[in-house]
Amino acid sequence: MNKLELLAPAGDLEKLKIAIIYGADAVYFGGQDFSLRAGAGGLSISEMEEGLTFAHERGKKCYLTLNIYAHNEDIEPLYAYLESIKHLPLDGILVSDPGIMMMLKEVMPNAEIHLSTQANLTNSKTAEFWREMGMKRLVLAGLIMIGALQVQAYDYSYLAFQNAEGATTFMAIEQLNITISDGKLIVTNTDGSQTFQLTDLSKMFFTQTADLTGISNTETVNETVEVFTTGGLSLGKFQDINTAKVSLKPGLYIMKSKSKTTKIAVR
């Protein structure tokens, strides 16, 4: 079995070094252009050179995100950018746009290309297609299905299980071991004190808090609501709570309207 790789994001050079020092096997980062991680800061070419040297001296890997979907006006600047980074000993480049993949193969024929999550890979036939196109690693879409389980790529702290009787158990994500056996998802605490199988559960969701106080499943507010994660991230405004519930994935949310603020559990 291949060894799992602990991969960490690096928004800047300092974060890259910290991730490596604290045990990451690899980091991924964007440049200052052509990356959907541009909002995280991004590394200049000279910073990439320093970061690559720092990581490689410690036996770690570095991946560059080049995962925008390009417009025609991006083509010439992209070619120039690829020429400017082709000397870098990158361990992989994350791409979502097939046109950029073609450009990479032209300018950097030895580059290892990985499929970015932005390409929304959700099925095995599409995986076969990208493998045929030469992708060395496929990063799945942010939401995939494992049996009846929705695995969400959000920054949550707890995985919550609600059984058929309605009792809810919270398990800290950082203390979980997750395996698949005989087609079932097995979730176990690292100390072995609790084990759940996918077939044991009727409800499963992710949350930032283990506090169920004040949570409603039947709340109705017939006015515009803004929905937030329990971590405070706004997910947008909706016509009313029922409209919001239809649009949201299972989990705990905070909904704010003019008249009230409510915790809602979406099942």
Side-chain angles (χ1 to χ4, degrees):
M1 179 181 293
N2 292 332
K3 177 180 179 292
L4 291 177
E5 179 181 78
L6 179 59
L7 177 63
D12 55 39
L13 183 59
E14 180 185 16
K15 292 173 183 174
L16 181 153
K17 292 181 177 180
I18 290 172
I20 295 296
I21 290 170
Y22 280 89
D25 299 311
V27 293
Y28 65 96
F29 50 80
Q32 295 179 331
D33 298 290
F34 311 118
S35 166
L36 293 181
R37 289 193 57 77
L43 278 68
S44 66
I45 293 175
S46 62
E47 288 174 328
M48 290 186 208
E49 292 172 340
E50 183 177 343
L52 281 158
T53 298
F54 183 87
H56 288 167
E57 286 177 346
R58 291 158 177 80
K60 311 298 183 178
K61 294 183 178 182
C62 293
Y63 307 119
L64 172 67
T65 60
L66 198 65
N67 56 353
I68 67 161
Y69 281 94
H71 295 268
N72 283 334
E73 59 267 26
D74 296 318
I75 301 302
E76 287 189 15
L78 258 169
Y79 269 121
Y81 185 72
L82 293 178
E83 289 288 346
S84 70
I85 66 169
K86 68 180 183 181
H87 67 287
L88 297 174
L90 293 161
D91 298 291
I93 301 177
L94 288 146
V95 181
S96 51
D97 187 325
I100 297 178
M101 295 173 192
M102 291 176 61
M103 296 168 67
L104 261 173
K105 291 180 179 181
E106 180 183 341
V107 178
M108 303 170 64
N110 296 321
E112 182 169 299
I113 305 177
H114 299 176
L115 187 72
S116 169
T117 188
Q118 303 302 329
N120 291 318
L121 170 58
T122 58
N123 66 79
S124 59
K125 298 305 291 184
T126 304
E128 289 179 19
F129 169 82
W130 286 119
R131 183 183 63 185
E132 292 296 321
M133 293 297 102
M135 301 299 103
K136 300 299 183 183
R137 177 179 295 186
L138 306 177
V139 182
L140 300 178
L143 177 64
I144 61 171
M145 301 300 294
I146 304 176
L149 171 67
Q150 292 186 322
V151 180
Q152 303 176 50
Y154 296 141
D155 184 20
Y156 290 124
S157 299
Y158 295 92
L159 191 57
F161 305 91
Q162 187 180 49
N163 64 21
E165 288 72 41
T168 301
T169 300
F170 294 89
M171 298 174 73
I173 289 175
E174 64 181 12
Q175 298 175 0
L176 297 184
N177 288 321
I178 300 177
T179 58
I180 297 176
S181 177
D182 297 326
K184 300 176 183 178
L185 192 82
I186 312 298
V187 183
T188 307
N189 268 3
T190 50
D191 62 5
S193 61
Q194 292 177 303
T195 298
F196 291 95
Q197 295 185 19
L198 182 61
T199 52
D200 295 338
L201 309 172
S202 60
K203 303 294 180 182
M204 189 172 191
F205 56 91
F206 297 79
T207 175
Q208 282 281 12
T209 176
D211 179 16
L212 288 175
T213 305
I215 291 176
S216 169
N217 293 321
T218 59
E219 185 75 28
T220 57
V221 176
N222 295 319
E223 59 186 7
T224 300
V225 295
E226 185 170 7
V227 180
F228 298 83
T229 67
T230 53
L233 175 67
S234 174
L235 300 178
K237 293 184 178 181
F238 298 83
Q239 180 179 347
D240 52 42
I241 281 186
N242 288 333
T243 303
K245 284 182 176 181
V246 171
S247 304
L248 296 170
K249 302 175 180 66
L252 297 181
Y253 300 92
I254 296 172
M255 297 195 182
K256 294 183 179 181
S257 66
K258 289 183 179 179
S259 60
K260 65 193 306 183
T261 296
T262 310
K263 287 182 182 178
I264 292 290
V266 177
R267 308 303 189 190

